[in-house]
Amino acid sequence: MNALEVLQRLPHRYPMIMLDGVEHITATSAVGWKNVTVNEPYFRGHFPKAPVMPGVLVMESLCQLAWVWAGGTTGVRLTGIQKLRFRRPTLPGDQLRLELELLEQDERQVTFRATASVDGLTAVAGSLVFAKGEQDEVPAQ
């Protein structure tokens, strides 16, 4: 799935599009990528003389891949992050390889093992929990 096909599935637009392509999607996994360029708007302030992609935006890349995995129309909402570790910085020129592996799924939520890596080295790893359903639905209390 190329960038234009990704845009058809995501509601996000510049500057919040954090997924450049999808290598494959199966019922139990997804692999995609984010090309990190020096022109990203957040590098102007994070940090000007030593630019580093904010960890929350690496997480957003993984969440956008989960949205595409869910089909883009039904959507998923991030509801939990478990045992997440930031292991190395993501720098301009890096290509983030984004991987989701299904751990658990029921009618209300889905849990993935999520990994973002650069050149085979893990940048971020942990588990992400998502509620399934339309974005405007409010989960039952």
Side-chain angles (χ1 to χ4, degrees), residues 27-85:
T28 60
S29 68
V31 175
W33 69 90
K34 164 71 177 143
N35 295 317
V36 182
T37 70
V38 73
N39 298 328
E40 306 282 354
Y42 46 81
F43 284 138
R44 284 180 276 159
H46 197 273
F47 300 96
K49 293 185 181 182
V52 174
M53 183 177 185
V56 70
L57 295 181
V58 175
M59 292 298 305
E60 177 65 23
S61 298
L62 288 161
C63 290
Q64 289 182 20
L65 181 59
W67 180 278
V68 172
W69 175 88
T73 56
T74 57
V76 290
R77 281 186 316 284
L78 181 66
T79 57
I81 299 171
Q82 301 169 341
K83 298 181 181 177
L84 187 77
R85 298 288 182 261

Side-chain angles (χ1 to χ4, degrees), residues 68-120:
V68 172
W69 175 88
T73 56
T74 57
V76 290
R77 281 186 316 284
L78 181 66
T79 57
I81 299 171
Q82 301 169 341
K83 298 181 181 177
L84 187 77
R85 298 288 182 261
F86 294 92
R87 302 198 183 276
R88 72 176 298 278
T90 302
L91 307 172
D94 286 347
Q95 183 180 68
L96 273 174
R97 180 178 172 82
L98 309 164
E99 299 179 64
L100 299 175
E101 178 187 339
L102 184 66
L103 295 176
E104 291 182 58
Q105 179 174 218
D106 61 31
E107 63 278 349
R108 296 183 62 200
Q109 72 178 21
V110 59
T111 303
F112 291 105
R113 178 183 341 273
T115 307
S117 60
V118 176
D119 295 330

